[in-house]
Amino acid sequence: MEAPAQFNELKKRLAEYYDLNSASAVLGWDQATYMPPGGAAARARQLGTLGKLAQEKLTDPAIGKLLDELRPYEESLAYDSDEASFIRVARRNYQIATLIPPAFVEEVSNHTVMAYQTWASARPENNFAAVRDNLEKTLDYSRRYAEYLQPLDSSYQHIMDALIDLPDYGMRVDTVQGVFAELRAALVPLVKAIKECEPVDDSFLYQSFPGDKQMAFAREVIQKFGYDFQRGRQDPTHHPFATRFSAGDVRITTRVDDHHLGDGVFATFHEAGHGMYEQGINVDFDATPLGGGTSAGVHESQSRTWENIVGRSYAFWEHYYAQLQSIFPDQLKNISLEKFYRAINKVEPSLIRVKADEVTYNLHIMVRFDFELALLEGKLAVKDLPEAWNARYQGDLGVTPPDPKDGAMQDVHWFAGLIGGVFQGYTLGNILGAQFYQTALKSHPEIPSEIAQGKFDTLYGWLRDNIYQHGSKYNAPELIQRVTGGSLDVQPLVNYLYSKYGEIYHLNM
Ligand code: ZN
């Protein structure tokens, strides 16, 4: 069947919506990189105006009418055709946007601005009492938001299902709980065994390492990975992120510490992973609902693959360590490759999620995921959160936060948005990264030896063909099925962690 006129009309209207979103993204990128502080108030207003215009475009009843009229055309097409996928994903986005009353969106947005400001000043003072009322309100808004979204999918069984389904399209509380429990059962004994080992010495990473030299090295590496500077750029910021304006302009940002070797380099690898995913999406999907990564978890799987599976591997440093030593000859002259490799992979249970290593990181996420559930279900009261937080950290990680600053008030997420569905994507990313990588190795067992020669084309090409190019055509479970032939599975991550850290710490597990 030839595309009816309504199809092109829908495409045109939605392209206007995505153009407005991209314009907002440019302003947001500028705000986080080069905007002088004096621009803040006007920028907030400008972003508000653009956001409102975009929302009006997307929720225009004409879009709903076009989507209805296009049903017979959609049904005549193969499910995985670009056209059917375009209509399917557009319909879902339209449904989400129209289920939430604009007045509610505005109310939540005003509340969030205030809650964030209160948190930003209360956190350094360890003042949980100051954020408590706001957090209770946030919880109430989160429940209402979930209620509004219930009609989206008749398979929702839990209040948090809708909140997970938005960032991690296709995932449910049950699925996530199941894989998290399995992963936790494997991680807790691994962490315990590592804690009993002689700690790894990483003190040499804390010397003077001029940031510009670290960044020059990292830039060279990510170009080799496949990040395209003709269609991207890298700039400094406080909280690193990647952002897409179009397939031809996907930018990354990084922060570097002159007195620590590592964070800036690995953050660059990480953001380049997000960037390569976006750069690799079919160009024809630009300014359509398919032109973006499909879920938080799949996105994070790509950043973690390049940061950890590749960037923290022994094979990678077999090739690159000599070069790094020549950049920092005084600082690294007495440090062997083995010592360096162990240091950048040091495992140490700690209080802070963003500083956590590959092994303990997922335990931090599970704490947050479980508390989101308990709060939404009413099984945990906001006032009891700090104490519950501390008890869980002591149980899972063997460390207790001395104060709420590094405990329940640590992450910005619940104070700059809603509660529910916020954290699971990070661990889903680690699980999926290992699962996809294992699948890539089945068709290309030569990948590790190529990495040891500084070659990444085979891995990059496999990821582009199997994951990147599809954009949002398939939701996460569909993509996992297509790529691996199975469903979400923690075993590849467990095997990877046991094998890598078993060797580093000489464990017999
Ligand atoms: Zn990320």
Side-chain angles (χ1 to χ4, degrees), residues 270 274 300 303:
H270 181 101
H274 285 302
E300 204 61 15
S303 55

mmCIF file of all heavy atoms in Angstrom, residues 270 274 300 303, ligand 1:
data_model
loop_
_atom_site.group_PDB
_atom_site.id
_atom_site.type_symbol
_atom_site.label_atom_id
_atom_site.label_comp_id
_atom_site.label_asym_id
_atom_site.label_seq_id
_atom_site.Cartn_x
_atom_site.Cartn_y
_atom_site.Cartn_z
ATOM 1 N N HIS A 270 32.613 7.008 28.605
ATOM 2 C CA HIS A 270 31.202 6.764 28.926
ATOM 3 C C HIS A 270 30.285 7.611 28.035
ATOM 4 O O HIS A 270 29.393 7.087 27.355
ATOM 5 C CB HIS A 270 30.962 7.092 30.408
ATOM 6 C CG HIS A 270 29.565 6.869 30.882
ATOM 7 N ND1 HIS A 270 29.194 5.752 31.599
ATOM 8 C CD2 HIS A 270 28.430 7.604 30.743
ATOM 9 C CE1 HIS A 270 27.905 5.813 31.872
ATOM 10 N NE2 HIS A 270 27.409 6.929 31.371
ATOM 11 N N HIS A 274 27.361 6.865 24.813
ATOM 12 C CA HIS A 274 26.021 7.426 24.569
ATOM 13 C C HIS A 274 26.007 8.117 23.200
ATOM 14 O O HIS A 274 25.062 7.980 22.424
ATOM 15 C CB HIS A 274 25.670 8.466 25.633
ATOM 16 C CG HIS A 274 25.317 7.888 26.979
ATOM 17 N ND1 HIS A 274 24.292 6.996 27.157
ATOM 18 C CD2 HIS A 274 25.849 8.104 28.220
ATOM 19 C CE1 HIS A 274 24.198 6.678 28.453
ATOM 20 N NE2 HIS A 274 25.134 7.336 29.113
ATOM 21 N N GLU A 300 22.336 3.165 28.520
ATOM 22 C CA GLU A 300 23.400 2.987 29.507
ATOM 23 C C GLU A 300 24.250 1.753 29.168
ATOM 24 O O GLU A 300 25.430 1.714 29.476
ATOM 25 C CB GLU A 300 22.767 2.879 30.898
ATOM 26 C CG GLU A 300 23.666 3.243 32.049
ATOM 27 C CD GLU A 300 24.186 4.684 32.049
ATOM 28 O OE1 GLU A 300 23.645 5.535 31.312
ATOM 29 O OE2 GLU A 300 25.149 4.951 32.772
ATOM 30 N N SER A 303 27.082 3.156 27.041
ATOM 31 C CA SER A 303 28.111 3.920 27.743
ATOM 32 C C SER A 303 28.970 2.990 28.600
ATOM 33 O O SER A 303 30.190 3.122 28.649
ATOM 34 C CB SER A 303 27.467 5.014 28.583
ATOM 35 O OG SER A 303 26.507 4.479 29.465
HETATM 36 ZN ZN ZN B 1 25.309 7.317 31.212
#
